[in-house]
Amino acid sequence: MARIKAKRCSAGLLKAAGVALLAWPWGWAAHAAGGADAEGVAEGPAWAAPAGQRVLRDLPYGPDRRQRMDVYLPAAPPRDAPVIFMVHGGAWRVGDKSSASVVRNKVEHWVPQGAVFVSINYRMLPEADPLAQLQDVAQALATAQRLAPQWGADPGRFVAMGHSAGAHLVALLAAEPGLQQSLGVRPVRGTVLLDSAALDVPRLMRLPHARLYDQAFGADPAYWASASPVDRLRQAAAPVLAVCSSRRAMSCGQARELAARAQPLAMRVQVLPQDLDHRGTNEQLGLPGPYTDAVDAFLRSVGAAPP
C-alpha cells in the first residue's frame, strides 16, 4: 500500500480540566506552516525503565522489524487488568514506542495502579502509507488482546490511545468496526486521542497546511476521504476522549468536527482542550493534575480504570 505520489465521565473533573463538547469556530492559519508544534515533531529520546519495572520488550506482531510492541507490567502479577494500548506519533514517518514522552509518565502513573501498558511500533513512510499503518495498528491490537491473559490482563478491557499521527490511526480504527472484526480485534472500551490535527483529512488538505500532510496523504481526494476518521465514521463506536492543544486551533477544530459527526450517531465524543503545546499533550499525561484526572475519569466511565 505504499502510494506516495503527489505528494459522563466525572463531570467535575472534566470541567476542571476544561472539557468542551461542541463549540465553534476554529482557525487554521496558525498551523499551516508546521514548525515545532506540528504533527511531525519527534517524540524525543528513549526512556530506560527503572530497575524492577517488568517489561516485555519487542514482542512481534508481524514479520517486519518495526512490527513490535513493548509491554509494561505491574510488579505484582495482576488479574483481569485493564490495558492501555499506545500508538506513538511522528508525522507517520518517525517516532518510537520507547520514547520517554510516549511512555514514562503514563507507565509511572497507571502501571503501579495495576494496569498493563502496551506501546507499539509500526511501519512508516515511505514504506507504508497511513492506511497500511492502520493495518499494523489493528494487527498489533489483535495480537495484544490474544496475549493479554498471559499478562494477567483482560482482553475485553482495552483502551486505545494515540498521540498526533498515532491519534489519527487509532481514530481511524475506532471508525472502522468492520476492519476490527476482519482482523480479529475485539471492541475496545474507549479511545483516547492526544492532539491530532488529521481527523477530517479532506478539510485539512483543502486549507493551508504543513507539507508533512502532503507527504502522508498525497493529492488524491479519494485517498483523503479513505484516510479520514470523520469521513469513515458511519456507525456508533466506543466512547472517545479527544484531547487537543488549545494553542493549536486546528487540532481542537478537528476534534470538534469528530464530535459533530458522532452526535447524530448517538456516539459519545468528548473534547478536552488543554493549555499545552503539542508535545505536552503527550508528555504530561500521567503527571498529577486536572489533565490526568480527566483522563482517569474517562477510563473509569468506560470500565477500564485500574482497580
Side-chain angles (χ1 to χ4, degrees):
M1 296 239 299
R3 50 94 270 162
I4 306 182
K5 292 187 178 177
K7 299 220 166 173
R8 202 171 272 242
C9 204
S10 176
L13 289 173
L14 290 174
K15 184 176 181 182
V19 168
L21 288 183
L22 290 173
W24 239 265
W26 37 292
W28 297 84
H31 191 79
D37 251 359
E39 222 82 356
V41 66
E43 299 281 9
W47 177 56
Q53 172 66 63
R54 294 201 299 152
V55 188
L56 306 176
R57 296 279 187 197
D58 293 321
L59 298 184
Y61 66 86
D64 190 89
R65 63 181 180 82
R66 289 201 57 87
Q67 293 172 321
R68 300 291 184 267
M69 67 178 80
D70 294 339
V71 182
Y72 297 83
L73 301 167
R79 181 177 180 180
D80 298 328
V83 180
I84 298 171
F85 177 87
M86 179 70 191
V87 183
H88 70 76
W92 303 270
R93 181 178 294 274
V94 297
D96 190 79
K97 58 183 169 54
S98 63
S99 295
S101 62
V102 175
V103 294
R104 180 175 183 170
N105 291 328
K106 301 177 189 69
V107 169
E108 291 182 345
H109 176 67
W110 281 304
V111 173
Q113 297 182 50
V116 172
F117 189 88
V118 176
S119 185
I120 75 162
N121 277 347
Y122 50 95
R123 292 171 298 155
M124 316 208 83
L125 295 171
E127 174 194 359
D129 72 347
L131 293 183
Q133 294 174 20
L134 171 63
Q135 295 280 335
D136 279 9
V137 171
Q139 188 173 337
L141 179 54
T143 300
Q145 289 175 329
R146 177 173 53 82
L147 296 175
Q150 300 178 23
W151 310 330
D154 184 344
R157 296 184 70 200
F158 274 62
V159 167
M161 180 181 290
H163 174 244
S164 193
H168 164 259
L169 295 173
V170 296
L172 265 181
L173 187 61
E176 283 291 324
L179 174 64
Q180 296 179 40
Q181 186 174 16
S182 70
L183 293 175
V185 175
R186 295 181 57 164
V188 296
R189 292 292 185 96
T191 299
V192 179
L193 311 178
L194 305 178
D195 205 37
S196 172
L199 300 176
D200 184 345
V201 176
R203 187 178 183 94
L204 164 69
M205 298 303 289
R206 291 186 177 110
L207 291 164
H209 56 268
R211 183 175 300 175
L212 64 92
Y213 298 113
D214 297 311
Q215 296 167 347
F217 300 117
D220 182 358
Y223 185 85
W224 300 346
S226 71
S228 175
V230 166
D231 286 79
R232 292 179 71 160
L233 182 62
R234 297 185 177 92
Q235 65 185 85
V240 171
L241 179 64
V243 177
C244 61
S245 167
S246 60
R247 303 177 191 179
R248 301 203 312 153
M250 175 179 272
S251 59
C252 284
Q254 292 263 317
R256 291 172 183 127
E257 280 286 330
L258 185 67
R261 175 58 63 94
Q263 192 173 45
L265 302 175
M267 175 181 166
R268 178 177 149 206
V269 175
Q270 296 167 249
V271 179
L272 178 61
Q274 291 296 293
D275 184 19
L276 297 168
D277 63 19
H278 182 57
R279 181 187 179 94
T281 60
N282 190 31
E283 189 169 43
Q284 295 193 35
L285 181 57
L287 294 178
Y291 176 28
T292 298
D293 291 345
V295 177
D296 279 338
F298 176 79
L299 296 180
R300 287 193 298 273
S301 77
V302 299

